[in-house]
């Protein structure tokens, strides 16, 4: 029995590691695809490929139920902020920024979620959360604010930053859904709804005359793989890993993604590895690590207070 448990956990760790590598490589792959597709069209088609895959999974496994009225409101929030705004800002930003910068900025999403909870829901900001947020913020300033020895933020960096904020907002809608709907059903409905919302956005891009569509079979196959493998299959692997080892342990694997993106971008796209990105990335991930650190690490002189969760 014990051996089976260790084998199951080992398998989960391998899955989480592979998913983190896949998601890290997805940044330079997306940047490469932008050479053949315009940003909004690319994000729309990719999320449609993911939706088709999830529909097939839904038909095969069944077990789905129709959401109630309040759940549809949450799902609409996830679709608008987590797909429509997030994906649009992300691909537009990536078109004018670099995969390395984008991955490091997106890595700050847990910190942004904590700050949004503080201002919107008045959730208490503990000492360790405050320190973690400050450290990560300094990291982001290093990543997007300093380049070639001067201070400056590009339009692409700001777009990716907006994508990260929209992702954080969608997480709060997902938390509302988690009370009545499991992650499997939430993922399927939110993704399909998001793809429907993306279609008008692609239409606006087309009317504006900015649509670029590649005629290369390789580019289309790569796009399909990005939608099905990196978003669809990897998402299920991730959820299974979280269920096996817990969210706290699984979240540590998220720290692998930015550095995989930096290395993959260097070897695949020829992007330089900048010291400011490495330094900023370490600060961002350090801040996230501080936030996820057990409350006991920040003990005060009052034993009763130290028992409170962050």
């Amino acid at each position: 029995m014990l051996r089976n448990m260790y084998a199951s956990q080992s398998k989960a760790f391998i899955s989480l590691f592979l998913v983190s590598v896949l998601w890290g490589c997805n940044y330079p792959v997306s940047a490469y695809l932008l050479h053949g597709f315009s940003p909004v069209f690319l994000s729309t088609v990719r999320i449609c490929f993911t939706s088709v895959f999830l529909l097939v999974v839904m038909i095969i496994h069944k077990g789905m139920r129709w959401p109630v009225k309040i759940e549809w409101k949450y799902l609409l929030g996830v679709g608008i902020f987590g797909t429509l705004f997030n994906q649009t800002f992300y691909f537009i930003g990536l078109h004018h920024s670099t995969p390395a910068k984008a991955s490091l900025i997106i890595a700050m999403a847990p910190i942004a979620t904590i700050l949004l909870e503080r201002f919107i829901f008045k959730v208490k900001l503990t000492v360790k959360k405050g320190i973690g947020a400050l450290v990560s913020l300094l990291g982001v300033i290093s990543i997007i604010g300093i380049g070639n020895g001067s201070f400056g933020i590009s339009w692409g960096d700001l777009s990716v930053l907006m994508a990260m904020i929209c992702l954080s907002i969608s997480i709060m809608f997902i938390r509302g859904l988690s009370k009545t709907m499991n992650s499997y059903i939430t993922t399927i409905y939110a993704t399909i709804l998001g793809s429907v919302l993306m279609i008008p956005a692609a239409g606006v891009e087309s009317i504006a005359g900015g649509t670029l569509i590649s005629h290369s079979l390789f580019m289309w196959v790569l796009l399909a793989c990005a939608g099905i493998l990196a978003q669809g299959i990897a998402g299920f692997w991730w959820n299974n890993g979280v269920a096996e080892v817990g969210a706290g342990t699984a979240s540590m694997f998220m720290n692998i993604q930015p550095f995989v993106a930096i290395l993959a971008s260097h070897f695949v796209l020829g992007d330089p590895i900048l010291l400011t990105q490495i330094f900023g990335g370490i600060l961002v991930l350090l801040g996230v690590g501080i936030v996820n650190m057990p409350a006991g690490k920040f003990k005060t002189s009052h034993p009763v207070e130290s028992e409170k969760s962050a």
Side-chain angles (χ1 to χ4, degrees), residues 27 102-111 136 164 254 258 284-285 288:
Y27 287 93
S103 64
L104 291 166
I105 295 170
I106 297 296
M108 197 186 168
I111 302 296
S136 286
M164 183 271 293
M254 298 290 287
V284 168
L285 300 182
V288 174

Side-chain angles (χ1 to χ4, degrees), residues 33-259:
L33 286 169
L34 284 168
H35 292 300
F37 301 96
S38 51
V40 180
F41 180 83
L42 173 59
S43 58
T44 301
V45 174
R46 191 178 75 157
I47 200 70
C48 284
F49 273 124
T50 307
S51 295
V52 171
F53 168 76
L54 292 177
L55 275 172
V56 172
V57 172
M58 181 178 70
I59 293 170
I60 293 174
H61 291 279
K62 300 180 180 180
M64 296 291 291
R65 65 171 179 82
W66 195 251
V68 298
K69 186 176 180 180
I70 185 63
E71 290 172 337
W72 275 118
K73 291 180 180 179
Y74 283 123
L75 284 169
L76 185 61
V78 177
I80 292 173
F81 289 98
T83 300
L84 177 61
F85 291 162
N86 170 259
Q87 292 292 294
T88 301
F89 280 124
Y90 169 75
F91 279 101
I92 290 175
L94 190 60
H95 192 55
H96 299 284
S97 186
T98 66
K101 280 187 176 182
S103 64
L104 291 166
I105 295 170
I106 297 296
M108 197 186 168
I111 302 296
T113 303
I114 289 171
L115 295 177
L116 286 171
E117 285 180 331
R118 172 68 184 92
F119 291 111
I120 296 176
F121 298 113
K122 308 302 180 184
V123 175
K124 183 181 179 182
L125 187 65
T126 62
V127 173
K128 76 182 182 76
K129 285 183 178 180
I131 293 174
L134 180 60
V135 172
S136 286
L137 182 60
L138 291 174
V140 170
I141 291 174
S142 173
I143 295 163
I144 69 175
I146 302 174
N148 300 321
S150 61
F151 188 86
I153 301 176
S154 71
W155 161 242
D157 298 334
L158 286 175
S159 292
V160 176
L161 192 63
M162 287 300 299
M164 183 271 293
I165 293 172
C166 290
L167 175 62
S168 299
I169 294 173
S170 73
I171 290 173
M172 290 189 284
F173 284 104
I174 291 173
R175 286 180 179 175
L177 279 169
S178 66
K179 298 175 183 177
T180 58
M181 185 178 286
N182 64 45
S183 60
Y184 168 78
I185 299 177
T186 298
T187 299
I188 292 177
Y189 276 121
T191 303
I192 294 173
L193 180 60
S195 65
V196 172
L197 293 172
M198 285 298 303
I199 293 174
V204 172
E205 183 185 60
S206 177
I207 293 172
T211 300
L212 174 65
I213 302 175
S214 174
H215 298 290
S216 167
L217 177 61
F218 172 75
M219 294 290 276
W220 277 96
V221 171
L222 188 62
L223 175 54
C225 289
I228 296 172
L229 179 60
Q231 285 189 287
I233 297 176
F236 285 118
W237 287 351
W238 179 264
N239 289 337
N240 290 335
V242 171
E244 183 65 37
V245 303
T249 301
S251 66
M252 293 298 101
F253 284 87
M254 298 290 287
N255 297 342
I256 299 172
Q257 292 182 46
F259 296 106

Side-chain angles (χ1 to χ4, degrees), residues 265-279:
S265 300
H266 176 70
F267 289 108
V268 176
L269 303 175
D271 291 348
I273 298 177
L274 304 178
L275 288 178
T276 52
Q277 293 175 350
I278 298 297
F279 176 71

